[in-house]
Amino acid sequence: MTFAPKRFWRRLRYGRPIVVVSGLPRSGTSMTMRMLEAGGMEIVTDGERLADEDNPGGYYEDERVKNLANEPDKSWLRASKGRAVKVISFLLKDLPPNLNYQVILMRRDLGEVLASQRKMLDRRGETDDTPDERMMELWQDQLWRVNYLLRHAPQFEWVELEYREALQNPEGAAARIAELVEGLDEQAMAEVVDPSLYRNRAGT
């Protein structure tokens, strides 16, 4: 992999990038973390949120991520260089700029995201009073802001993957990820993708 001069300078100054898996809730981020783990990458997770019916393969989360916006001490991220961490798209803006990041941004049909989110809340006995149309407007605005950030902030390299396409062609998804992140076992990554977990499909 070759680097532009600015990218090369950042690597020299700030070191290896942190691999960040991001996206809206219910957009395939846990699946992508599982792919990276299978591909040989060390992941950052505290294991507190256990696998359940909504995510049988596990959530791969770390509670410290939730405090990125409000916690001034983010030094734990420095220890995550060369490893993978899951960060919801809304919090990408709160990653410190004096580190490098390789971001895998997961996209999914917003109708599917909404249906999956609602079903998960129902199973937990929780409610969200935000009207569906308003929720989708908020998500669209958030994704626009995220794309703008990734295109313009120098600390980010990134690739965008569509959830449906990753499930239909896991080998292609693994190859796309490996173009961004070197040294991964693409075959092992593709083998852990489980199309049977593709529920709440658009048009069904």
Side-chain angles (χ1 to χ4, degrees):
M1 182 181 291
T2 59
F3 302 110
K6 288 184 179 180
R7 185 73 61 197
F8 180 73
W9 177 85
R10 285 194 62 89
R11 287 289 181 93
L12 287 177
R13 182 172 184 182
Y14 298 120
R16 297 179 65 189
I18 301 166
V19 176
V20 175
V21 175
S22 191
L24 295 173
R26 315 303 299 163
S27 62
T29 52
S30 298
M31 177 192 73
T32 307
M33 289 289 286
R34 188 160 60 253
M35 291 175 71
L36 290 170
E37 182 181 43
M41 173 155 284
E42 187 178 354
I43 59 171
V44 179
T45 178
D46 56 23
E48 289 191 17
R49 192 175 182 185
L50 301 177
D52 56 24
E53 184 178 353
D54 295 299
N55 250 354
Y59 285 88
Y60 292 91
E61 294 180 353
D62 191 303
E63 286 294 312
R64 291 174 295 184
V65 171
K66 297 179 180 179
N67 297 321
L68 283 174
N70 301 312
E71 177 56 64
D73 182 8
K74 303 174 186 179
S75 58
W76 65 272
L77 281 168
R78 294 187 178 276
S80 301
K81 293 179 180 180
R83 300 195 289 169
V85 60
K86 180 173 155 182
V87 179
I88 193 170
S89 55
F90 180 74
L91 293 175
L92 286 178
K93 60 181 173 46
D94 297 301
L95 290 170
N98 60 343
L99 293 169
N100 293 316
Y101 308 94
Q102 292 175 322
V103 179
I104 304 165
L105 181 66
M106 296 302 298
R107 297 291 295 260
R108 185 178 183 182
D109 178 272
L110 292 183
E112 293 182 356
V113 172
L114 183 63
S116 182
Q117 182 85 330
R118 295 300 193 207
K119 287 185 178 180
M120 184 176 71
L121 291 175
D122 286 344
R123 273 191 281 267
R124 297 177 181 180
E126 301 175 10
T127 59
D128 185 339
D129 296 329
T130 307
D132 291 354
E133 289 185 3
R134 178 56 180 159
M135 181 63 73
M136 294 181 77
E137 288 175 357
L138 292 171
W139 283 339
Q140 287 172 334
D141 179 71
Q142 183 184 137
L143 289 172
W144 184 91
R145 293 174 184 274
V146 165
N147 274 268
Y148 185 90
L149 174 69
L150 293 176
R151 288 196 307 270
H152 293 87
Q155 64 267 32
F156 295 115
E157 302 169 69
W158 65 296
V159 65
E160 189 172 81
L161 292 181
E162 212 283 325
Y163 178 61
R164 181 195 295 262
E165 293 178 4
L167 287 167
Q168 293 174 340
N169 181 14
E171 292 81 8
R176 290 283 309 285
I177 293 171
E179 289 176 1
L180 178 70
V181 184
E182 292 182 302
L184 297 173
D185 184 334
E186 294 181 38
Q187 181 177 350
M189 293 170 67
E191 288 176 352
V192 299
V193 176
D194 184 358
S196 70
L197 296 179
Y198 185 18
R199 300 166 290 195
N200 307 301
R201 305 186 184 208
T204 63

